Coordinates of all heavy atoms in Angstrom, one line a residue:
M1 N 12.5 -28.3 3.8 CA 11.8 -27.0 3.6 C 12.9 -26.1 3.0 O 14.0 -26.1 3.4 CB 11.3 -26.5 4.9 CG 10.5 -25.2 4.7 SD 9.4 -25.0 6.1 CE 7.9 -24.7 5.2
L2 N 12.4 -25.2 2.1 CA 13.3 -24.3 1.4 C 13.6 -23.1 2.3 O 12.8 -22.7 3.2 CB 12.7 -23.8 0.1 CG 12.4 -25.0 -0.9 CD1 11.6 -24.4 -2.1 CD2 13.7 -25.6 -1.4
N3 N 14.7 -22.4 2.1 CA 15.1 -21.2 2.9 C 14.5 -20.0 2.2 O 13.9 -20.0 1.1 CB 16.6 -21.1 3.1 CG 17.3 -21.0 1.7 OD1 16.8 -20.4 0.8 ND2 18.5 -21.5 1.7
C4 N 14.6 -18.8 2.8 CA 14.1 -17.6 2.3 C 14.6 -17.2 0.9 O 13.8 -16.7 0.1 CB 14.3 -16.4 3.3 SG 13.3 -16.5 4.8
K5 N 15.9 -17.5 0.7 CA 16.4 -17.2 -0.6 C 15.7 -18.0 -1.7 O 15.4 -17.4 -2.8 CB 17.9 -17.5 -0.6 CG 18.6 -17.1 -2.0 CD 20.1 -17.4 -1.9 CE 20.7 -17.2 -3.3 NZ 22.1 -17.5 -3.3
D6 N 15.5 -19.2 -1.5 CA 14.8 -20.1 -2.4 C 13.3 -19.6 -2.5 O 12.8 -19.7 -3.6 CB 14.8 -21.6 -2.0 CG 16.2 -22.1 -1.9 OD1 17.1 -21.7 -2.8 OD2 16.5 -23.0 -1.1
M7 N 12.7 -19.2 -1.4 CA 11.3 -18.8 -1.5 C 11.1 -17.5 -2.3 O 10.1 -17.4 -3.0 CB 10.8 -18.6 0.0 CG 10.5 -19.9 0.7 SD 9.2 -20.7 -0.1 CE 9.7 -22.4 0.0
T8 N 12.1 -16.6 -2.1 CA 11.9 -15.3 -2.9 C 11.9 -15.6 -4.4 O 11.2 -15.1 -5.2 CB 12.9 -14.3 -2.6 OG1 14.2 -14.8 -2.7 CG2 12.7 -13.8 -1.1
K9 N 12.8 -16.6 -4.8 CA 12.8 -17.0 -6.2 C 11.5 -17.7 -6.6 O 10.9 -17.4 -7.7 CB 14.0 -17.9 -6.5 CG 14.0 -18.6 -7.9 CD 15.2 -18.4 -8.6 CE 15.3 -19.0 -10.0 NZ 14.2 -18.8 -10.8
L10 N 11.0 -18.5 -5.7 CA 9.8 -19.2 -6.0 C 8.6 -18.3 -6.1 O 7.7 -18.4 -6.9 CB 9.5 -20.3 -5.0 CG 8.4 -21.3 -5.2 CD1 8.5 -22.0 -6.6 CD2 8.3 -22.3 -4.1
I11 N 8.6 -17.3 -5.2 CA 7.5 -16.2 -5.2 C 7.5 -15.5 -6.6 O 6.5 -15.4 -7.2 CB 7.7 -15.2 -4.1 CG1 7.4 -15.9 -2.7 CG2 6.8 -14.0 -4.3 CD1 7.8 -15.1 -1.5
S12 N 8.7 -15.1 -7.0 CA 8.8 -14.5 -8.3 C 8.4 -15.4 -9.4 O 7.7 -15.0 -10.4 CB 10.3 -14.0 -8.5 OG 10.6 -13.0 -7.6
D13 N 8.9 -16.6 -9.4 CA 8.5 -17.6 -10.4 C 7.0 -17.8 -10.5 O 6.4 -17.9 -11.6 CB 9.2 -18.9 -10.2 CG 10.7 -18.9 -10.5 OD1 11.2 -17.9 -11.1 OD2 11.4 -19.8 -10.1
S14 N 6.4 -17.9 -9.3 CA 4.9 -18.1 -9.3 C 4.1 -17.0 -9.9 O 3.0 -17.2 -10.3 CB 4.5 -18.4 -7.8 OG 4.5 -17.2 -7.1
M15 N 4.7 -15.8 -10.0 CA 4.0 -14.7 -10.6 C 4.1 -14.8 -12.2 O 3.3 -14.2 -12.9 CB 4.6 -13.4 -10.2 CG 4.6 -13.2 -8.7 SD 3.3 -12.3 -8.1 CE 3.5 -12.3 -6.4
D16 N 5.1 -15.5 -12.7 CA 5.4 -15.6 -14.1 C 4.9 -16.9 -14.8 O 4.7 -16.9 -16.0 CB 6.8 -15.4 -14.4 CG 7.3 -14.0 -14.0 OD1 6.5 -13.1 -14.1 OD2 8.5 -13.9 -13.6
R17 N 4.8 -17.9 -14.0 CA 4.5 -19.2 -14.5 C 3.7 -20.1 -13.5 O 3.7 -19.7 -12.3 CB 5.7 -20.0 -15.0 CG 6.7 -20.4 -13.9 CD 7.8 -21.2 -14.3 NE 8.8 -21.5 -13.3 CZ 8.6 -22.4 -12.3 NH1 7.6 -23.2 -12.3 NH2 9.6 -22.5 -11.4
K18 N 3.1 -21.1 -13.9 CA 2.4 -22.0 -13.0 C 3.4 -22.9 -12.3 O 4.3 -23.5 -12.9 CB 1.4 -22.9 -13.8 CG 0.5 -23.7 -12.9 CD -0.6 -24.3 -13.8 CE -1.6 -25.0 -12.9 NZ -2.9 -24.4 -12.8
I19 N 3.4 -22.9 -11.0 CA 4.3 -23.8 -10.2 C 3.5 -25.1 -9.8 O 2.3 -25.1 -9.8 CB 4.9 -23.0 -9.0 CG1 3.8 -22.6 -8.0 CG2 5.7 -21.9 -9.5 CD1 4.3 -21.9 -6.8
T20 N 4.3 -26.1 -9.4 CA 3.7 -27.4 -9.1 C 2.9 -27.3 -7.8 O 3.1 -26.3 -7.0 CB 4.8 -28.4 -8.9 OG1 5.6 -28.1 -7.8 CG2 5.7 -28.5 -10.2
L21 N 2.1 -28.3 -7.6 CA 1.3 -28.3 -6.3 C 2.2 -28.4 -5.1 O 2.0 -27.7 -4.1 CB 0.4 -29.5 -6.4 CG -0.4 -29.8 -5.1 CD1 -1.3 -28.6 -4.8 CD2 -1.2 -31.0 -5.2
R22 N 3.3 -29.2 -5.2 CA 4.3 -29.3 -4.1 C 4.9 -27.9 -3.8 O 5.0 -27.5 -2.7 CB 5.3 -30.3 -4.4 CG 6.4 -30.4 -3.4 CD 7.5 -31.4 -3.8 NE 8.5 -31.4 -2.7 CZ 8.7 -32.5 -1.9 NH1 8.0 -33.6 -2.1 NH2 9.6 -32.4 -1.0
Q23 N 5.3 -27.2 -4.9 CA 5.9 -25.9 -4.7 C 4.9 -24.9 -4.1 O 5.2 -24.1 -3.2 CB 6.4 -25.3 -6.0 CG 7.6 -26.0 -6.6 CD 7.9 -25.6 -8.0 OE1 7.1 -25.4 -8.8 NE2 9.2 -25.4 -8.2
R24 N 3.6 -25.0 -4.5 CA 2.6 -24.1 -4.0 C 2.4 -24.4 -2.5 O 2.3 -23.4 -1.7 CB 1.3 -24.2 -4.7 CG 1.2 -23.6 -6.1 CD -0.2 -23.5 -6.6 NE -1.0 -24.7 -6.6 CZ -1.1 -25.5 -7.6 NH1 -0.5 -25.4 -8.7 NH2 -1.9 -26.6 -7.5
M25 N 2.4 -25.6 -2.1 CA 2.2 -26.0 -0.7 C 3.4 -25.5 0.1 O 3.2 -25.0 1.2 CB 2.1 -27.5 -0.6 CG 0.8 -28.0 -1.2 SD -0.7 -27.3 -0.4 CE -0.6 -28.0 1.2
E26 N 4.6 -25.8 -0.4 CA 5.8 -25.3 0.3 C 5.8 -23.8 0.5 O 6.1 -23.3 1.6 CB 7.1 -25.7 -0.4 CG 7.4 -27.2 -0.3 CD 8.6 -27.6 -1.1 OE1 9.1 -26.9 -1.9 OE2 9.1 -28.7 -0.8
L27 N 5.5 -23.1 -0.6 CA 5.4 -21.7 -0.5 C 4.4 -21.2 0.5 O 4.6 -20.3 1.3 CB 5.1 -21.1 -1.9 CG 5.0 -19.6 -2.1 CD1 6.3 -19.0 -1.7 CD2 4.6 -19.3 -3.5
W28 N 3.2 -21.8 0.4 CA 2.1 -21.4 1.4 C 2.6 -21.6 2.8 O 2.4 -20.7 3.6 CB 0.9 -22.2 1.1 CG -0.3 -21.9 2.0 CD1 -1.1 -20.8 1.8 CD2 -0.7 -22.6 3.1 NE1 -2.1 -20.8 2.9 CE2 -1.8 -21.9 3.7 CE3 -0.2 -23.7 3.8 CZ2 -2.4 -22.3 4.8 CZ3 -0.8 -24.1 5.0 CH2 -1.9 -23.4 5.5
M29 N 3.1 -22.8 3.1 CA 3.5 -23.0 4.5 C 4.6 -22.1 4.9 O 4.6 -21.5 6.0 CB 4.1 -24.5 4.6 CG 2.9 -25.5 4.6 SD 3.5 -27.2 4.6 CE 4.6 -27.2 5.9
H30 N 5.6 -21.8 4.1 CA 6.7 -20.9 4.4 C 6.2 -19.5 4.6 O 6.5 -18.8 5.6 CB 7.8 -20.9 3.3 CG 9.0 -20.1 3.7 ND1 10.0 -20.6 4.4 CD2 9.2 -18.8 3.5 CE1 10.9 -19.6 4.6 NE2 10.5 -18.5 4.0
V31 N 5.3 -19.0 3.7 CA 4.8 -17.6 3.8 C 4.0 -17.4 5.1 O 4.0 -16.4 5.7 CB 4.1 -17.2 2.5 CG1 3.3 -15.9 2.7 CG2 5.1 -17.1 1.4
M32 N 3.3 -18.5 5.5 CA 2.4 -18.4 6.7 C 3.3 -18.2 7.9 O 2.9 -17.6 8.9 CB 1.6 -19.7 6.9 CG 0.5 -19.8 5.9 SD -0.7 -18.4 6.0 CE -0.4 -17.6 4.5
M33 N 4.6 -18.7 7.9 CA 5.4 -18.6 9.1 C 6.5 -17.5 9.0 O 7.0 -17.1 10.0 CB 6.2 -20.0 9.2 CG 5.3 -21.1 9.5 SD 6.2 -22.6 9.9 CE 7.0 -22.9 8.3
C34 N 6.7 -17.0 7.8 CA 7.8 -16.1 7.6 C 7.3 -14.7 7.2 O 6.9 -14.5 6.0 CB 8.8 -16.6 6.5 SG 10.2 -15.5 6.2
G35 N 7.4 -13.7 8.1 CA 6.9 -12.4 7.8 C 7.7 -11.7 6.7 O 7.2 -10.9 5.9
M36 N 9.0 -12.0 6.6 CA 9.8 -11.3 5.6 C 9.4 -11.8 4.2 O 9.3 -10.9 3.3 CB 11.3 -11.6 5.8 CG 11.9 -10.9 7.0 SD 13.7 -11.0 7.2 CE 13.9 -12.8 7.3
C37 N 9.1 -13.0 4.0 CA 8.7 -13.6 2.7 C 7.3 -13.1 2.4 O 6.9 -12.8 1.3 CB 8.8 -15.1 2.7 SG 10.6 -15.6 2.6
R38 N 6.5 -13.0 3.4 CA 5.1 -12.5 3.3 C 5.1 -11.1 2.8 O 4.4 -10.7 1.8 CB 4.3 -12.6 4.6 CG 2.9 -12.6 4.5 CD 2.1 -13.0 5.8 NE 2.8 -12.6 7.0 CZ 3.3 -13.5 7.9 NH1 3.3 -14.8 7.6 NH2 3.8 -13.0 9.0
R39 N 6.0 -10.3 3.3 CA 6.2 -8.9 2.9 C 6.7 -8.8 1.5 O 6.3 -8.0 0.7 CB 7.1 -8.2 3.9 CG 7.4 -6.8 3.6 CD 6.2 -5.9 3.6 NE 6.5 -4.6 3.2 CZ 5.8 -3.5 3.6 NH1 4.8 -3.7 4.4 NH2 6.1 -2.4 3.1
F40 N 7.7 -9.7 1.2 CA 8.3 -9.7 -0.2 C 7.2 -10.0 -1.2 O 7.1 -9.3 -2.2 CB 9.4 -10.7 -0.2 CG 10.0 -10.9 -1.6 CD1 10.9 -9.9 -2.1 CD2 9.6 -11.9 -2.4 CE1 11.4 -10.0 -3.4 CE2 10.2 -12.1 -3.7 CZ 11.1 -11.1 -4.2
R41 N 6.4 -11.0 -0.9 CA 5.3 -11.4 -1.8 C 4.3 -10.2 -2.0 O 3.9 -9.9 -3.1 CB 4.6 -12.6 -1.3 CG 3.5 -13.1 -2.3 CD 2.7 -14.3 -1.7 NE 2.0 -13.9 -0.5 CZ 1.2 -14.7 0.1 NH1 1.1 -16.0 -0.2 NH2 0.6 -14.3 1.2
S42 N 4.0 -9.6 -0.9 CA 3.1 -8.4 -1.0 C 3.7 -7.3 -1.8 O 3.0 -6.7 -2.7 CB 2.8 -7.9 0.4 OG 2.0 -6.7 0.4
D43 N 5.0 -7.0 -1.6 CA 5.7 -6.0 -2.4 C 5.8 -6.3 -3.9 O 5.6 -5.4 -4.7 CB 7.1 -5.7 -1.8 CG 7.1 -5.1 -0.4 OD1 6.0 -4.6 0.0 OD2 8.1 -5.1 0.2
V44 N 6.1 -7.5 -4.2 CA 6.2 -8.0 -5.6 C 4.8 -7.8 -6.3 O 4.7 -7.3 -7.4 CB 6.7 -9.4 -5.7 CG1 6.6 -9.9 -7.1 CG2 8.2 -9.5 -5.3
R45 N 3.7 -8.2 -5.6 CA 2.4 -8.1 -6.2 C 2.1 -6.6 -6.4 O 1.5 -6.2 -7.5 CB 1.4 -8.7 -5.2 CG 1.3 -10.2 -5.2 CD 0.3 -10.7 -4.3 NE 0.2 -12.1 -4.3 CZ -0.4 -12.9 -3.5 NH1 -1.0 -12.3 -2.4 NH2 -0.5 -14.2 -3.6
A46 N 2.4 -5.7 -5.4 CA 2.1 -4.3 -5.6 C 2.9 -3.7 -6.7 O 2.4 -2.9 -7.5 CB 2.4 -3.6 -4.3
L47 N 4.2 -4.1 -6.9 CA 5.0 -3.6 -7.9 C 4.5 -4.0 -9.3 O 4.4 -3.2 -10.2 CB 6.5 -4.1 -7.7 CG 7.5 -3.7 -8.8 CD1 7.6 -2.2 -8.8 CD2 8.8 -4.4 -8.4
R48 N 4.1 -5.3 -9.4 CA 3.5 -5.8 -10.7 C 2.2 -5.0 -11.1 O 2.1 -4.6 -12.2 CB 3.2 -7.3 -10.6 CG 4.4 -8.1 -10.6 CD 4.1 -9.6 -10.4 NE 3.2 -10.1 -11.5 CZ 3.7 -10.7 -12.6 NH1 4.9 -10.9 -12.7 NH2 2.8 -11.2 -13.5
R49 N 1.4 -4.7 -10.1 CA 0.1 -4.0 -10.4 C 0.5 -2.6 -10.8 O -0.1 -2.0 -11.8 CB -0.7 -3.9 -9.1 CG -1.6 -5.1 -8.9 CD -2.6 -4.8 -7.8 NE -2.1 -4.4 -6.5 CZ -1.7 -5.2 -5.5 NH1 -1.9 -6.5 -5.6 NH2 -1.2 -4.7 -4.4
Q50 N 1.5 -1.9 -10.2 CA 1.9 -0.6 -10.5 C 2.5 -0.6 -11.9 O 2.1 0.3 -12.7 CB 2.9 0.0 -9.5 CG 3.3 1.4 -9.8 CD 2.2 2.4 -9.6 OE1 1.3 2.2 -8.7 NE2 2.2 3.4 -10.4
L51 N 3.3 -1.5 -12.3 CA 3.9 -1.6 -13.6 C 2.8 -1.8 -14.7 O 2.9 -1.2 -15.7 CB 4.9 -2.7 -13.7 CG 6.2 -2.4 -12.9 CD1 7.1 -3.7 -12.9 CD2 7.0 -1.2 -13.6
Q52 N 1.8 -2.6 -14.4 CA 0.8 -2.9 -15.3 C 0.0 -1.6 -15.6 O -0.4 -1.3 -16.7 CB -0.2 -4.0 -14.9 CG 0.5 -5.3 -14.9 CD -0.3 -6.4 -14.2 OE1 -1.3 -6.1 -13.5 NE2 0.1 -7.7 -14.5
Q53 N -0.3 -0.8 -14.5 CA -1.0 0.4 -14.7 C -0.2 1.4 -15.4 O -0.8 2.1 -16.3 CB -1.4 1.0 -13.3 CG -2.5 0.2 -12.6 CD -2.8 0.7 -11.2 OE1 -2.1 1.5 -10.7 NE2 -3.9 0.2 -10.6
E54 N 1.1 1.5 -15.2 CA 1.9 2.5 -15.9 C 2.0 2.1 -17.4 O 2.0 2.9 -18.2 CB 3.3 2.6 -15.2 CG 3.3 3.3 -13.9 CD 4.6 3.4 -13.3 OE1 5.6 3.1 -13.9 OE2 4.7 3.7 -12.1
E55 N 2.1 0.8 -17.6 CA 2.2 0.3 -19.0 C 0.9 0.7 -19.7 O 0.9 1.1 -20.9 CB 2.4 -1.2 -19.0 CG 2.7 -1.8 -20.3 CD 3.0 -3.3 -20.2 OE1 2.0 -4.1 -20.3 OE2 4.2 -3.6 -20.1
F56 N -0.2 0.5 -19.1 CA -1.5 0.9 -19.7 C -1.6 2.4 -20.0 O -2.0 2.8 -21.1 CB -2.7 0.5 -18.7 CG -4.0 0.8 -19.2 CD1 -4.6 0.1 -20.3 CD2 -4.8 1.8 -18.6 CE1 -5.9 0.4 -20.8 CE2 -6.0 2.2 -19.1 CZ -6.6 1.5 -20.2
Q57 N -1.2 3.2 -19.0 CA -1.2 4.6 -19.2 C -0.2 5.0 -20.4 O -0.5 5.9 -21.1 CB -0.7 5.3 -17.9 CG -1.8 5.2 -16.8 CD -3.1 5.8 -17.2 OE1 -3.2 6.8 -17.9 NE2 -4.2 5.2 -16.8
Q58 N 0.9 4.3 -20.5 CA 1.9 4.6 -21.5 C 1.3 4.3 -22.9 O 1.4 5.1 -23.9 CB 3.2 3.8 -21.3 CG 4.2 4.2 -22.4 CD 5.5 3.4 -22.1 OE1 5.6 2.6 -21.2 NE2 6.5 3.7 -22.9
V59 N 0.6 3.2 -23.0 CA -0.1 2.8 -24.3 C -1.1 3.9 -24.7 O -1.2 4.3 -25.8 CB -0.8 1.4 -24.2 CG1 -1.7 1.2 -25.3 CG2 0.3 0.4 -24.1
L60 N -1.9 4.4 -23.7 CA -2.9 5.4 -24.0 C -2.2 6.7 -24.4 O -2.6 7.4 -25.3 CB -3.7 5.7 -22.8 CG -4.8 4.7 -22.4 CD1 -5.6 5.1 -21.2 CD2 -5.7 4.4 -23.6
S61 N -1.1 7.1 -23.8 CA -0.4 8.3 -24.1 C 0.3 8.3 -25.4 O 0.6 9.3 -26.0 CB 0.6 8.7 -23.0 OG 1.6 7.8 -23.0
E62 N 0.6 7.1 -25.9 CA 1.3 6.9 -27.2 C 0.4 7.0 -28.4 O 0.8 7.0 -29.5 CB 2.1 5.6 -27.2 CG 3.3 5.7 -26.3 CD 4.0 4.3 -26.3 OE1 3.6 3.3 -26.9 OE2 5.1 4.3 -25.6
E63 N -0.9 7.1 -28.2 CA -1.9 7.2 -29.3 C -1.6 8.4 -30.1 O -1.3 9.5 -29.6 CB -3.3 7.2 -28.7 CG -3.6 5.9 -28.0 CD -4.7 5.1 -28.7 OE1 -5.3 5.6 -29.7 OE2 -4.9 4.0 -28.3
S64 N -1.8 8.3 -31.4 CA -1.6 9.5 -32.3 C -2.7 10.5 -32.0 O -3.8 10.2 -31.8 CB -1.7 9.0 -33.7 OG -1.8 10.1 -34.6
P65 N -2.3 11.8 -31.9 CA -3.2 12.9 -31.6 C -4.3 13.0 -32.7 O -5.4 13.5 -32.5 CB -2.4 14.1 -31.6 CG -1.0 13.8 -31.9 CD -0.9 12.3 -32.1
T66 N -4.0 12.5 -34.0 CA -5.0 12.6 -35.0 C -6.1 11.6 -34.9 O -7.2 11.7 -35.4 CB -4.3 12.5 -36.4 OG1 -3.7 11.3 -36.5 CG2 -3.4 13.6 -36.6
E67 N -5.8 10.5 -34.2 CA -6.7 9.4 -34.0 C -7.4 9.7 -32.6 O -6.8 10.1 -31.7 CB -6.1 8.1 -33.9 CG -5.4 7.6 -35.2 CD -4.8 6.2 -35.0 OE1 -5.2 5.5 -34.1 OE2 -3.9 5.9 -35.8
P68 N -8.7 9.3 -32.6 CA -9.4 9.4 -31.3 C -8.7 8.5 -30.3 O -8.3 7.4 -30.6 CB -10.8 9.0 -31.6 CG -10.8 8.4 -32.9 CD -9.6 8.8 -33.6
L69 N -8.7 8.9 -29.0 CA -8.1 8.0 -28.0 C -9.0 6.7 -27.9 O -10.2 6.7 -28.2 CB -8.1 8.7 -26.6 CG -7.1 9.9 -26.5 CD1 -7.3 10.6 -25.2 CD2 -5.7 9.4 -26.7
A70 N -8.4 5.7 -27.4 CA -9.1 4.4 -27.3 C -10.3 4.6 -26.4 O -11.3 4.0 -26.7 CB -8.1 3.3 -26.7
E71 N -10.2 5.4 -25.4 CA -11.4 5.6 -24.5 C -12.6 6.2 -25.2 O -13.7 6.0 -24.9 CB -11.0 6.4 -23.3 CG -10.5 7.8 -23.6 CD -10.0 8.5 -22.4 OE1 -9.6 7.9 -21.4 OE2 -10.0 9.8 -22.4
D72 N -12.3 7.0 -26.3 CA -13.4 7.6 -27.0 C -14.1 6.6 -27.9 O -15.2 6.8 -28.4 CB -12.8 8.7 -28.0 CG -12.3 9.9 -27.1 OD1 -12.7 10.0 -26.0 OD2 -11.4 10.6 -27.7
K73 N -13.5 5.4 -28.2 CA -14.1 4.4 -29.0 C -14.9 3.4 -28.2 O -15.6 2.6 -28.7 CB -13.0 3.6 -29.7 CG -12.1 4.5 -30.7 CD -11.0 3.6 -31.3 CE -10.1 4.5 -32.1 NZ -9.0 3.7 -32.7
L74 N -14.8 3.5 -26.8 CA -15.5 2.6 -26.0 C -16.8 3.0 -25.6 O -17.1 4.2 -25.4 CB -14.7 2.3 -24.7 CG -13.3 1.7 -24.8 CD1 -12.6 1.8 -23.5 CD2 -13.4 0.3 -25.4
S75 N -17.7 2.1 -25.4 CA -19.1 2.4 -24.9 C -18.9 2.8 -23.4 O -18.0 2.5 -22.8 CB -20.0 1.2 -25.0 OG -19.6 0.2 -24.1
S76 N -19.9 3.5 -22.9 CA -19.9 3.9 -21.5 C -19.9 2.7 -20.6 O -19.3 2.7 -19.5 CB -21.0 4.9 -21.2 OG -22.3 4.2 -21.5
K77 N -20.6 1.6 -21.0 CA -20.6 0.4 -20.2 C -19.2 -0.2 -20.1 O -18.7 -0.6 -19.1 CB -21.6 -0.6 -20.8 CG -21.7 -1.9 -20.0 CD -22.7 -2.8 -20.7 CE -22.8 -4.1 -19.9 NZ -23.8 -5.0 -20.5
A78 N -18.5 -0.2 -21.2 CA -17.1 -0.7 -21.3 C -16.2 0.1 -20.4 O -15.3 -0.4 -19.7 CB -16.6 -0.8 -22.7
K79 N -16.3 1.5 -20.5 CA -15.5 2.4 -19.7 C -15.7 2.1 -18.2 O -14.8 2.0 -17.4 CB -15.8 3.8 -20.0 CG -15.4 4.3 -21.3 CD -15.8 5.7 -21.6 CE -15.5 6.1 -23.0 NZ -16.0 7.5 -23.3
L80 N -17.0 1.9 -17.8 CA -17.3 1.6 -16.4 C -16.7 0.3 -15.9 O -16.2 0.1 -14.8 CB -18.8 1.6 -16.1 CG -19.5 3.0 -16.2 CD1 -21.0 2.9 -16.2 CD2 -19.0 3.9 -15.1
S81 N -16.8 -0.7 -16.8 CA -16.3 -2.0 -16.5 C -14.7 -2.0 -16.3 O -14.2 -2.6 -15.4 CB -16.6 -3.0 -17.6 OG -16.0 -4.2 -17.4
I82 N -14.1 -1.2 -17.2 CA -12.6 -1.1 -17.1 C -12.2 -0.3 -15.8 O -11.3 -0.7 -15.1 CB -12.0 -0.4 -18.3 CG1 -12.1 -1.3 -19.5 CG2 -10.6 0.0 -18.1 CD1 -11.8 -0.6 -20.8
A83 N -13.0 0.7 -15.5 CA -12.7 1.5 -14.3 C -12.9 0.6 -13.0 O -12.1 0.7 -12.1 CB -13.6 2.7 -14.2
A84 N -13.9 -0.2 -13.0 CA -14.2 -1.1 -11.9 C -13.1 -2.1 -11.7 O -12.6 -2.4 -10.6 CB -15.5 -1.7 -12.0
A85 N -12.6 -2.6 -12.8 CA -11.5 -3.6 -12.8 C -10.2 -3.0 -12.3 O -9.5 -3.6 -11.5 CB -11.4 -4.3 -14.2
M86 N -9.9 -1.8 -12.7 CA -8.7 -1.1 -12.3 C -8.8 -0.8 -10.8 O -7.8 -1.0 -10.1 CB -8.5 0.1 -13.1 CG -8.1 -0.2 -14.5 SD -7.8 1.3 -15.5 CE -6.3 1.9 -14.8
K87 N -9.9 -0.4 -10.3 CA -10.1 -0.2 -8.8 C -9.9 -1.5 -8.0 O -9.3 -1.5 -7.0 CB -11.4 0.4 -8.5 CG -11.5 1.9 -8.9 CD -12.9 2.5 -8.6 CE -13.0 3.9 -9.0 NZ -14.3 4.5 -8.8
K88 N -10.4 -2.6 -8.6 CA -10.3 -3.9 -7.9 C -8.9 -4.3 -7.8 O -8.5 -4.9 -6.8 CB -11.1 -4.9 -8.7 CG -11.4 -6.2 -8.0 CD -12.3 -7.1 -8.9 CE -12.6 -8.3 -8.2 NZ -13.5 -9.2 -9.0
V89 N -8.1 -4.0 -8.8 CA -6.7 -4.4 -8.8 C -5.8 -3.6 -7.9 O -4.9 -4.0 -7.3 CB -6.1 -4.3 -10.3 CG1 -4.6 -4.6 -10.3 CG2 -6.8 -5.3 -11.2
S90 N -6.2 -2.3 -7.7 CA -5.3 -1.4 -6.9 C -5.6 -1.6 -5.4 O -6.3 -2.2 -4.9 CB -5.5 0.0 -7.2 OG -6.4 0.4 -8.1

């Protein structure tokens, strides 16, 4: 079984790429028993969500003032769908 140092690397890797079935099983078993790694995984997930939201907001704020904002080009149905998806992620 891998130690916490190895697990934190595997947790990070699993967010960026597909890991093997064996790695997923080892990770699952370790995280079920280790509160520190469970907390680390939770913190990494929250950080990734926050960065994605900030990146999205930055893209919107970089739009040229002469062009309509992207949200002005969307249908109301699309706006509601995006808002629901963002709430689900947070």
Side-chain angles (χ1 to χ4, degrees):
M1 185 158 228
L2 299 173
N3 61 33
C4 289
K5 182 179 177 184
D6 296 328
M7 282 296 140
T8 56
K9 171 128 177 52
L10 189 56
I11 289 167
S12 295
D13 289 347
S14 72
M15 306 261 176
D16 296 328
R17 65 174 175 83
K18 190 170 181 112
I19 59 174
T20 67
L21 177 60
R22 180 185 176 110
Q23 289 173 319
R24 286 195 311 265
M25 293 300 293
E26 287 178 343
L27 181 60
W28 181 81
M29 287 176 50
H30 183 90
V31 168
M32 289 299 112
M33 296 184 296
C34 180
M36 289 187 301
C37 287
R38 199 168 35 250
R39 177 63 184 209
F40 177 78
R41 184 182 63 177
S42 174
D43 290 347
V44 169
R45 285 178 175 168
L47 181 59
R48 286 176 62 93
R49 279 193 304 269
Q50 184 65 35
L51 288 171
Q52 288 170 348
Q53 287 176 350
E54 288 178 14
E55 189 175 88
F56 178 72
Q57 292 299 324
Q58 184 178 5
V59 168
L60 285 181
S61 68
E62 288 176 355
E63 297 247 350
S64 167
T66 59
E67 293 181 24
L69 291 175
E71 63 187 21
D72 294 337
K73 298 177 186 178
L74 297 174
S75 68
S76 57
K77 183 178 178 182
K79 290 177 188 177
L80 290 173
S81 176
I82 291 170
M86 289 179 71
K87 284 181 183 176
K88 191 176 186 181
V89 172
S90 1

